[in-house]
Amino acid sequence: MGSGAMTNSIVDISKADVIVIFGCDPTESHSIIGSEIMKAKEKGALLLVVDPRRTRLAKMADVHLQLRVGTNIALLNGLVNTIFENGWENKKFLEERCEHADRVRKHVKDYPLDKVADITGVPMDQLKQFARIYSKARAAFLAYGMGVTQFVSGTNNVLALSNLVLSCGHVGRPGTGMNPLRGQNNVQGACDMGCLPGDLPGYQSPNDPNVRAKFERAWGTPVADQPGITSMNMNELALEGKFNALMIFGEDPVVTDPDQNRVARALRSMDCLVVVEMVMTETAKLADVILPAASFAEKGGTFTNCERRVQRVNQAVNPPGECMGEWQMLQALAKRFGTPGFDWETHEDVFNEITEVTPNYSQMSYQRLDEANGLQWPCTSHHPDGNSVLHKRSFPLGKARLMPVHYLPPEENPDDDYPFYLTTIRLHFHYGCGSMTRKSPILERESPEGLLFMNPRDGANQGLFNFAPVGVRSRRGYLETRVQFTDQVPPGLVSLPYHFSDTPSNQLTNDAQDPTTGMPELKACAVRVEPLARDMRPRPIQILRNENYEPAVEEAGADYVRI
Ligand SMILES: Nc1nc2c(c(=O)[nH]1)N[C@H]1C(S)=C(S)[C@@H](COP(=O)(O)OP(=O)(O)OC[C@H]3O[C@@H](n4cnc5c(=O)[nH]c(N)nc54)[C@H](O)[C@@H]3O)O[C@H]1N2
Ligand SMILES: Nc1nc2c(c(=O)[nH]1)N[C@H]1C(S)=C(S)[C@@H](COP(=O)(O)OP(=O)(O)OC[C@H]3O[C@@H](n4cnc5c(=O)[nH]c(N)nc54)[C@H](O)[C@@H]3O)O[C@H]1N2
Ligand SMILES: [Mo]
């Protein structure tokens, strides 16, 4: 479709008669959106969920396709094939607004329902029911998340999903579209501002000399005409001795990137590591220099949320000590490098520069953002008040393209040595690497440790009891925790949250990557579960590694949180 953002707005959930939740768990991860979905369902919308786990929404769903981990493309191609075979496709939309529908129609003939049922483990009648309900919807709101993108086939998963959406013409109307639920509060804004290796702000290409000239004028410095490298590639090159210095703004890759032992080796091998943080993290512990960042409440600026809405962040308190905003650090650094640009006096000056160089933000200003309670991009001279729905009459590339894609299983699959699939998930009560939320005794009370979720049937086969101590091992690492039995995961699949630096699921994960985006395969790897002595306490990773260990919450809090 030519753009990476939600096509719709959050209010659109209430306008849909069919809601599809594909590989995301909004009642845990996007609770406002999750509650909107529950409200819409109560008012009569049909809810379709595609997830290998029985999530809270899956339990409420009209149809839950509980596919095997990593089989999205087989499932989607099967659905598209069923839609074409039954003549349920939107012929007018395909003809007027899309290209290559015929190519895909032919391609998906390789995915008859019996074969798809075999690969995915989903019964044929459920697949057909899903295809019928989705294609006949009046307004279909489809949301997707990390269960689609965090695979070596992530890009192709998204293309397969777009084929489904386009074949039914379910995009470009209120309540109807394809919506990646973006993760962090400002990840949409970070991408919009060119925090992607191949893009300048506004998704403008560094290969275009006009674009480069524009940024060279704004910044007073030459702009690289080559794309940068992804974080996974940085690790690779660092281990080869070809990448020597890194400045990290607010990330904790030792906890949040896959195969943490390798990540730590890569960071240690660099000559210079600078970490800009608010709190001590596992990554900051490896840094040569730590610069103190002001938190969101201590600086001004804007966040762009997942519905493309740019909103003001208003400073509430003064930053402590020498903490400052990242723009001030970048500016100070640029000045020391002798760059003539970057001469903003306030964060509003930064925003004004953004509006000059980023076409989608061109009609925004602090004043207009305040008056409108935020504006949704594209906010251009054609649409000075922003856009709540994308692609109404045309796509950024003119027509949308259907693209044939083949199913490929995950890079690592269970075998005799490592018989379980591990998938990593989020919990409502913790956030990302946990460096912020794990300081809160109340949140720790709700979810104090990184438990391994396992189906009771597998538990019985392994001779385990509920909350038994276990070791979990993959080809890359080992951790200890307790097992919790739950029917949320089917037999053969175990899951671990990734928020716990003492039970770090990224000890185990595989850093195989999607070749297009560099996204690692965080949603599937193979592990073995080893029972520990009944009365043994699982050891935090720091103890296993013989490092000093400080519990996340201080002792007083810990008494209060331990069960
Ligand atoms: N409380 C809380 N909220 C958060 C975050 C947090 O850390 N804590 N993090 C934020 C961030 S950065 C992000 S990116 C978002 C992510 O939000 P989500 O995408 O909802 O997050 P996940 O729990 O990683 O994964 C989503 C689902 O994918 C499913 N899944 C696994 N494999 C497959 C598969 O092969 N096919 C399909 N269809 N599904 C599969 C999993 O079972 C899981 O239910 O959440 C954001 N919100
Ligand atoms: N196994 C597994 N691993 C995963 C995932 C998964 O599903 N499974 N999900 C992946 C995804 S989608 C994401 S987005 C990543 C997230 O991974 P990270 O970005 O590494 O983790 P976060 O906890 O979101 O944020 C990191 C740090 O930002 C700091 N911070 C907060 N506000 C500010 C600020 O204003 N300025 C500065 N300088 N720092 C600040 C916090 O103190 C925190 O330590 O994890 C990825 N890792
Ligand atoms: Mo994310």
Side-chain angles (χ1 to χ4, degrees):
M1 294 185 205
S3 136
M6 267 175 73
T7 60
N8 296 66
S9 304
I10 296 165
V11 290
D12 283 49
I13 294 168
S14 65
K15 301 175 187 163
D17 59 332
V18 172
I19 297 170
V20 182
I21 300 303
F22 204 110
C24 55
D25 190 2
T27 59
E28 297 291 320
S29 315
H30 297 86
S31 33
I32 306 284
I33 290 177
S35 68
E36 290 301 314
I37 295 167
M38 286 181 166
K39 273 191 245 163
K41 163 89 184 126
E42 267 165 30
K43 286 202 196 128
L46 291 175
L47 178 60
L48 313 180
V49 173
V50 184
D51 201 300
R53 295 183 314 124
R54 252 183 108 226
T55 58
R56 192 178 290 133
L57 288 179
K59 286 180 192 155
M60 299 169 51
D62 297 281
V63 183
H64 174 205
L65 305 186
Q66 195 168 12
L67 79 176
R68 272 190 205 107
V69 164
T71 60
N72 291 314
I73 295 178
L75 180 121
L76 286 160
N77 282 352
L79 293 173
V80 174
N81 185 40
T82 308
I83 287 167
F84 278 120
E85 277 192 336
N86 288 282
W88 295 338
E89 76 274 20
N90 186 332
K91 294 179 186 70
K92 188 160 179 279
F93 187 90
L94 285 172
E95 201 159 293
E96 290 172 1
R97 303 220 26 210
C98 302
E99 285 173 349
H100 306 325
D102 271 340
R103 241 194 251 173
V104 167
R105 181 206 308 268
K106 284 190 198 115
H107 174 80
V108 294
K109 283 190 199 302
D110 279 349
Y111 294 82
L113 280 192
D114 52 345
K115 177 172 159 191
V116 172
D118 244 23
I119 299 174
T120 61
V122 179
M124 288 179 16
D125 55 335
Q126 274 189 19
L127 291 163
K128 190 155 181 192
Q129 192 190 4
F130 184 110
R132 191 177 54 234
I133 295 175
Y134 181 71
S135 59
K136 299 203 174 301
R138 178 183 50 76
F141 186 99
L142 182 145
Y144 71 95
M146 299 300 108
V148 170
T149 50
Q150 288 178 341
F151 284 101
V152 290
S153 57
T155 304
N156 287 347
N157 283 336
V158 176
L159 294 175
L161 203 52
S162 317
N163 290 342
L164 173 70
V165 170
L166 293 170
S167 64
C168 301
H170 282 332
V171 64
R173 286 173 283 128
T176 305
M178 174 156 171
N179 299 287
L181 302 181
R182 304 301 310 252
Q184 289 145 321
N185 52 346
N186 193 33
V187 66
Q188 184 70 53
C191 293
D192 294 352
M193 290 307 107
C195 293
L196 293 164
D199 286 334
L200 285 163
Y203 309 96
Q204 299 173 90
S205 168
N207 293 327
D208 180 337
N210 292 328
V211 167
R212 266 201 326 273
K214 176 166 77 171
F215 285 96
E216 287 174 356
R217 267 197 310 280
W219 295 341
T221 182
V223 171
D225 58 359
Q226 295 296 317
I229 54 179
T230 63
S231 52
M232 300 286 113
N233 279 106
M234 291 179 199
N235 293 342
E236 191 83 43
L237 292 172
L239 289 170
E240 291 169 19
K242 295 181 191 151
F243 187 89
N244 311 102
L246 179 62
M247 184 166 181
I248 296 180
F249 288 87
E251 282 198 26
D252 187 10
V254 172
V255 176
T256 58
D257 276 354
D259 194 355
Q260 74 167 182
N261 296 328
R262 189 159 188 274
V263 174
R265 268 201 313 281
L267 294 176
R268 280 202 183 93
S269 75
M270 291 181 196
D271 299 335
C272 172
L273 177 65
V274 182
V275 172
V276 183
E277 255 297 349
M278 309 184 311
V279 295
M280 190 48 118
T281 62
E282 297 302 309
T283 303
K285 286 179 190 164
L286 305 182
D288 299 291
V289 180
I290 304 175
L291 296 178
S295 76
F296 78 96
E298 297 159 346
K299 62 193 172 201
T302 61
F303 288 158
T304 305
N305 78 358
C306 78
E307 58 169 17
R308 296 169 277 104
R309 186 182 299 279
V310 182
Q311 304 183 92
R312 280 286 304 280
V313 182
N314 295 307
Q315 182 178 341
V317 288
N318 287 327
E322 292 176 285
C323 295
M324 57 172 101
E326 285 76 2
W327 67 274
Q328 290 161 308
M329 296 186 195
L330 281 171
Q331 180 177 45
L333 206 56
K335 289 290 166 213
R336 279 172 210 216
F337 285 142
T339 312
F342 294 76
D343 43 8
W344 325 289
E345 277 172 20
T346 62
H347 49 84
E348 185 168 6
D349 295 341
V350 180
F351 192 74
N352 291 338
E353 183 185 296
I354 291 172
T355 62
E356 275 162 34
V357 294
T358 316
N360 277 343
Y361 284 60
S362 69
Q363 295 302 303
M364 294 180 190
S365 65
Y366 268 16
Q367 195 189 340
R368 297 207 63 221
L369 292 179
D370 285 342
E371 285 163 3
N373 265 324
L375 288 164
Q376 286 173 284
W377 66 250
C379 180
T380 57
S381 49
H382 292 306
H383 301 278
D385 296 324
N387 270 288
S388 60
V389 179
L390 296 185
H391 316 320
K392 277 189 236 148
R393 272 173 289 278
S394 72
F395 293 93
L397 309 170
K399 288 192 168 186
R401 286 181 207 146
L402 283 81
M403 313 262 268
V405 283
H406 266 302
Y407 159 68
L408 260 184
E411 207 235 18
E412 192 180 59
N413 296 282
D415 55 22
D416 290 347
D417 292 335
Y418 299 93
F420 288 99
Y421 264 128
L422 168 74
T423 198
T424 55
I425 55 162
R426 288 172 165 73
L427 300 177
H428 186 65
F429 292 104
H430 282 298
Y431 195 87
C433 68
S435 71
M436 297 178 287
T437 49
R438 296 207 65 211
K439 296 204 162 46
S440 158
I442 294 178
L443 298 178
E444 281 286 283
R445 179 191 67 198
E446 298 299 329
S447 256
E449 44 195 338
L451 299 171
L452 180 78
F453 298 108
M454 180 183 258
N455 188 279
R457 245 208 284 163
D458 284 336
N461 288 340
Q462 304 276 310
L464 296 169
F465 55 94
N466 205 11
F467 294 106
V470 289
V472 193
R473 194 181 295 281
S474 78
R475 288 187 177 79
R476 294 152 296 276
Y478 173 78
L479 59 80
E480 293 180 357
T481 181
R482 290 181 187 277
V483 68
Q484 180 168 3
F485 294 166
T486 166
D487 70 350
Q488 256 198 13
V489 283
L493 179 69
V494 291
S495 74
L496 260 178
Y498 84 110
H499 312 299
F500 299 89
S501 59
D502 34 11
T503 320
S505 60
N506 286 324
Q507 259 295 308
L508 308 168
T509 44
N510 183 0
D511 71 354
Q513 301 158 48
D514 179 294
T516 312
T517 58
M519 173 66 97
E521 191 151 77
L522 297 163
K523 288 289 175 269
C525 71
V527 297
R528 156 163 99 221
V529 179
E530 301 170 352
L532 299 177
R534 291 181 72 87
D535 53 354
M536 195 177 144
R537 278 180 138 230
R539 289 164 295 178
I541 194 78
Q542 293 85 349
I543 304 255
L544 288 168
R545 281 205 214 108
N546 280 323
E547 289 170 7
N548 285 335
Y549 175 59
E550 300 154 42
V553 173
E554 307 194 350
E555 279 314 315
D559 283 348
Y560 165 57
V561 300
R562 292 293 155 207
I563 310 167

